[in-house]
Amino acid sequence: MEFDFPLWPELLNKMPGEMDKPLISRRLVDSDSSLAEASNEAPKVGILGSGDFARSLAIRLVGSGFSVVVGSRNPKRMVGLFPSAAQVTFQAEAIGSPEVIFVATFREHYSSLCGLSDQLAGKILVDVSNPTEQEHLQHRKSNAEYLASLFPTCTVVKAFNVISAWTLQAGPRDGNRQVPICSDQPEAKRVVSELAHTMGFMPVDMGSLASAREVEAMPLHLLPSWKVPTILALWLFLFFYAYNFIRDVLQPYVQEGKNKFYKLPLSVVNTTLPCVAYVLLSLVYLPGTLAATLQLWRGTKYRRFPDWLDHWLQHRKQIGLLSFFCAALHAIYSVCLPVRLSYRYDLVNLAVKQVLTNKSHLWVEENVWRMEIYLSLGVLALGTLSLLAVTSLPSIANSLNWREFSFFQHYLQWPMHGSATQVTTVDKKDMAHVYSGILWGLKKEE
């Protein structure tokens, strides 16, 4: 089966930058005379449905140069919600001339369209729906496969279900560009892929319609690539927090009877965060070294890595961003240290002790230098780590060429590693207190 779906050469030849900007503002959408009437030569696209996604889809299609016909059960009530260039009519009238029709309705409403099966014969139906988690587990067939079973004379294509209504209105620069597309007909996938490209998105061929279940599950996953790194970071935090609690709070209480449990909410957390950040940072670059060593030992780079190493390599970006998150929290917690009443009490007690001992000038050269070096190295480490974190984001990394990206990710790691290591070793006598007492220049005479 072949489909004749002419696309303007001017639309297909648009520069990518022209498709990044928002096409239509809210003020223009709400105005009846905002959009010029679409040309009669514009390729016509139909939409069945009048919900939020259908409205955003119509806005994007009109702004991309298509002639849009919207089919609604109550067109008179819905016409004011769509751009004036889009024709809003009854469903039976909307599916007459378009060869590509977006089905923007819920699965339970598919059966209400069965009366239009004769008029829809031979057309491309683009299913944009998403099931809930319960529906996804309950039904063996995907929404797209169920739609195809109801309309066997049509060609069903699964697409645009991972794109939000906001992304359609604001432009793909503010959201994900990729549009997974799957169908049993290659020609139908080509037509929808060209349509997605004209709208400013990046079509991704996911294969046959059997992949629709996997495509529909994508919006149901909550940060799937972050699960393992987050669990790792939480376990590291609990381990170091327990160690610092035993050392800084429990041990003084048991051995000397000193009550330092007030340190639990802030001081112990602040001491734990840089430890977690540094270990996570080491885990970002360690798998690369292991992979290179394994390739040298095998004598080839064409053999597959073990599954554990492969998964580790794939999670490096998430581990690095969690390291940056812990380092940034450590910096914020450190700024909050002087606000504590315990800090003020220590400062007053130190002043009283200085008066009682008849000391007019308190200056410990070693601690002064230690604090200055600590602060300088800490700022340098956090600054370089910020650059590494920002350049690892897809929106930034895609704007860099390979040489620029490798410069940030490869060469900047050395000063960052060096400064971070020196921060943790600047006080060799008592590393647990380097993030609290030395930071503010307090010499605790206990």
Side-chain angles (χ1 to χ4, degrees), residues 58-355:
I59 292 172
R60 192 69 185 173
L61 287 169
V62 169
S64 299
F66 293 94
S67 176
V68 179
V69 183
V70 181
S72 173
R73 289 175 293 182
N74 194 341
K76 292 184 178 180
R77 188 177 64 179
M78 295 297 177
V79 64
L81 301 177
F82 287 84
S84 60
Q87 180 185 355
V88 182
T89 182
F90 291 99
Q91 293 178 344
E93 300 175 2
I95 62 176
S97 55
E99 292 295 325
V100 177
I101 299 173
F102 287 86
V103 181
T105 61
F106 294 109
R107 178 187 178 117
E108 55 265 26
H109 298 152
Y110 287 172
S111 58
S112 65
L113 304 176
C114 291
L116 307 174
S117 58
D118 292 339
Q119 296 171 265
L120 291 172
K123 298 183 181 294
I124 301 177
L125 301 183
V126 183
D127 178 38
V128 299
S129 66
N130 280 317
T132 63
E133 288 191 38
Q134 183 178 1
E135 292 173 343
H136 184 70
L137 297 175
Q138 179 182 358
H139 302 296
R140 298 186 61 182
K141 284 186 177 181
S142 64
N143 289 0
E145 291 174 308
Y146 176 63
L147 182 66
S149 66
L150 294 179
F151 299 93
T153 58
C154 301
T155 300
V156 176
V157 179
K158 187 70 184 184
F160 290 95
N161 65 301
V162 300
I163 302 298
S164 66
W166 164 254
T167 302
L168 286 171
Q169 292 190 32
R173 173 179 292 179
D174 300 320
N176 191 0
R177 283 179 174 271
Q178 293 185 347
V179 177
I181 298 175
C182 62
S183 176
D184 292 333
Q185 292 290 340
E187 183 65 18
K189 282 194 293 186
R190 182 193 66 80
V191 170
V192 178
S193 297
E194 290 181 351
L195 186 147
H197 186 268
T198 304
M199 295 169 65
F201 295 97
M202 183 185 301
V204 178
D205 191 347
M206 298 294 291
S208 65
L209 199 62
S211 303
R213 185 172 178 82
E214 178 185 351
V215 174
E216 292 177 1
M218 290 180 179
L220 300 178
H221 296 155
L222 180 61
L223 303 175
S225 59
W226 287 84
K227 183 178 180 179
V228 174
T230 302
I231 294 176
L232 173 64
L234 287 176
W235 275 108
L236 286 173
F237 181 86
L238 292 175
F239 171 78
F240 284 110
Y241 187 88
Y243 170 78
N244 291 321
F245 164 73
I246 295 173
R247 176 171 178 169
D248 296 345
V249 178
L250 191 59
Q251 183 180 5
Y253 180 77
V254 173
Q255 293 183 348
E256 305 175 20
K258 294 182 179 180
N259 187 353
K260 295 188 176 182
F261 286 91
Y262 66 88
K263 290 186 174 183
L264 291 177
L266 188 64
S267 296
V268 178
V269 174
N270 190 45
T271 307
T272 302
L273 285 173
C275 302
V276 178
Y278 190 74
V279 173
L280 289 176
L281 187 62
S282 301
L283 294 177
V284 172
Y285 295 98
L286 180 58
T289 304
L290 295 177
T293 303
L294 184 61
Q295 288 178 339
L296 290 174
W297 180 69
R298 290 175 171 178
T300 178
K301 64 178 182 179
Y302 297 106
R303 289 182 59 184
R304 181 181 175 85
F305 293 128
D307 290 340
W308 60 271
L309 183 57
D310 187 56
H311 291 332
W312 192 354
L313 289 168
Q314 293 177 10
H315 287 103
R316 286 182 297 174
K317 181 177 70 173
Q318 289 78 12
I319 296 175
L321 291 175
L322 286 174
S323 174
F324 169 70
F325 175 72
C326 292
L329 281 182
H330 169 57
I332 297 173
Y333 269 86
S334 299
V335 172
C336 296
L337 288 176
V339 183
R340 301 176 304 159
L341 283 176
S342 58
Y343 167 80
R344 300 179 187 179
Y345 290 151
D346 284 340
L347 190 62
V348 172
N349 291 334
L350 183 62
V352 171
K353 186 178 294 186
Q354 183 179 352
V355 172

Side-chain angles (χ1 to χ4, degrees), residues 378-390:
V379 171
L380 178 61
L382 184 60
T384 51
L385 184 58
S386 301
L387 281 176
L388 291 172
V390 170

